[in-house]
């Protein structure tokens, strides 16, 4: 119970930092305006988006999922930037739960798990990402879920292949260059397990592939 209370306190500290100067420091330029307009167009006669935001290299685009993620909030709040920002903050805070569980599994120590969670909670970079109105921001959560899922598979939890592939697919949707993570996953798997494939039921494998696609 004391560790649960400590984790709640860490999340509260993280929330406080992310709300600090909440309405005084907002980056809202071309990308943010484009995303706001595109997301509201979904409800105004243009519901099908195939190409998402422009990537760093001309001709490449991220997936459109970010627009669909924020579109209900923009629509229901009549274009409130602050509500979308608050929503992204809560998504970022959810990352703390997966960091805590992953670290506790790795080190078998609640105090180390709390320390890892606290470091993420107060990290300047994670605070900035939480308040950034841009498509890569939600990928912080999905990428951590991927690593959390990978370790679950290492420990014999076959169902985690579904969450691994789905979360990795979401990360690539939010930020195209997250596709490189597949090589990181392979390196981690080989270093921990070797060259043998994970044992999962055919049904789980099919669900995983469908989820990724």
């Amino acid at each position: 119970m004391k560790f649960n209370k400590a984790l709640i306190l860490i999340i509260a500290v993280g929330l406080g930092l992310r709300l600090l100067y909440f309405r005084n420091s907002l980056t809202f330029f071309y990308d943010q305006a484009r995303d706001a307009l595109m997301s509201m167009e979904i409800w105004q006669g243009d519901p099908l988006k195939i190409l998402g935001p422009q990537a760093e290299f001309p001709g490449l685009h991220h997936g459109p999922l970010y627009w669909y993620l924020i579109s209900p909030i923009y629509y229901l709040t009549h274009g409130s930037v602050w509500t979308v920002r608050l929503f992204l903050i809560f998504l970022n805070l959810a990352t703390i739960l997966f960091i805590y569980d992953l670290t506790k599994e790795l080190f078998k120590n609640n105090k180390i798990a709390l320390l890892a969670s606290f470091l993420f909670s107060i990290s300047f970079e994670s605070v900035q990402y939480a308040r950034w109105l841009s498509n890569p921001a939600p990928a912080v959560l999905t990428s951590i879920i991927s690593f959390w899922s990978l370790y679950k598979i290492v420990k014999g939890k076959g169902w985690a292949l579904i969450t691994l592939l789905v979360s990795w697919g979401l990360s690539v949707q939010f930020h195209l260059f997250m596709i490189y993570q597949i090589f990181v996953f392979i390196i981690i798997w080989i270093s921990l397990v070797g060259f043998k494939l994970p044992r999962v039921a055919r049904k789980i494998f099919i669900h995983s592939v469908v989820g990724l696609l």
Side-chain angles (χ1 to χ4, degrees):
M1 181 62 69
K2 67 178 181 179
F3 289 112
N4 290 338
K5 290 181 178 179
L7 185 60
I8 293 173
L9 179 60
I10 288 171
I11 294 174
V13 170
L15 177 61
L17 288 175
R18 286 154 178 77
L19 293 179
L20 194 63
Y21 308 117
F22 181 74
R23 295 184 68 91
N24 296 336
S25 57
L26 176 67
T27 300
F28 197 90
F29 297 117
Y30 170 79
D31 289 352
Q32 288 72 32
R34 173 206 59 205
D35 294 339
L37 290 173
M38 289 295 182
S39 64
M40 286 190 285
E41 281 182 359
I42 293 173
W43 300 85
Q44 297 171 345
D46 188 14
L48 184 60
K49 303 293 183 182
I50 298 176
L51 294 178
Q54 171 74 48
E56 287 81 353
F57 296 97
L60 289 179
H61 291 259
H62 304 293
L65 179 62
Y66 176 68
W67 294 340
Y68 287 96
L69 181 68
I70 63 176
S71 66
I73 304 171
Y74 268 127
Y75 177 74
L76 293 174
T77 62
H78 304 287
S80 172
V81 175
W82 307 109
T83 309
V84 174
R85 197 183 200 194
L86 188 62
F87 170 72
L88 293 176
I89 285 175
F90 281 110
L91 276 187
N92 183 270
L93 288 172
T95 308
I96 295 175
L97 301 175
F98 291 95
I99 289 177
Y100 175 80
D101 188 69
L102 174 60
T103 314
K104 185 174 69 173
E105 289 287 327
L106 282 170
F107 297 98
K108 310 301 180 185
N109 189 309
N110 281 302
K111 292 181 179 179
I112 294 178
L114 288 175
L115 176 61
S117 303
F118 178 70
L119 291 175
F120 178 85
S121 174
I122 66 171
S123 164
F124 176 78
E125 185 175 16
S126 67
V127 171
Q128 295 304 303
Y129 254 88
R131 307 193 299 188
W132 186 26
L133 292 172
S134 189
N135 53 281
V140 174
L141 172 61
T142 55
S143 62
I144 292 297
I145 294 177
S146 296
F147 287 108
W148 174 82
S149 301
L150 179 62
Y151 191 72
K152 294 293 183 182
I153 299 173
V154 170
K155 302 304 289 185
K157 308 293 185 180
W159 55 263
L161 183 63
I162 299 175
T163 55
L164 170 61
L165 293 186
V166 169
S167 59
W168 177 56
L170 293 175
S171 297
V172 175
Q173 265 282 318
F174 290 128
H175 194 54
L176 179 63
F177 300 108
M178 296 297 283
I179 198 169
Y180 83 91
Q181 279 193 315
I182 188 64
F183 301 107
V184 179
F185 299 150
I186 292 174
I187 292 171
I188 293 175
W189 178 266
I190 292 174
S191 65
L192 294 178
V193 180
F195 289 92
K196 57 183 179 180
L197 296 175
R199 293 183 178 180
V200 296
R202 178 175 296 185
K203 183 178 180 180
I204 291 178
F205 178 77
I206 294 174
H207 288 172
S208 303
V209 172
V210 171
L212 171 64
L213 296 176

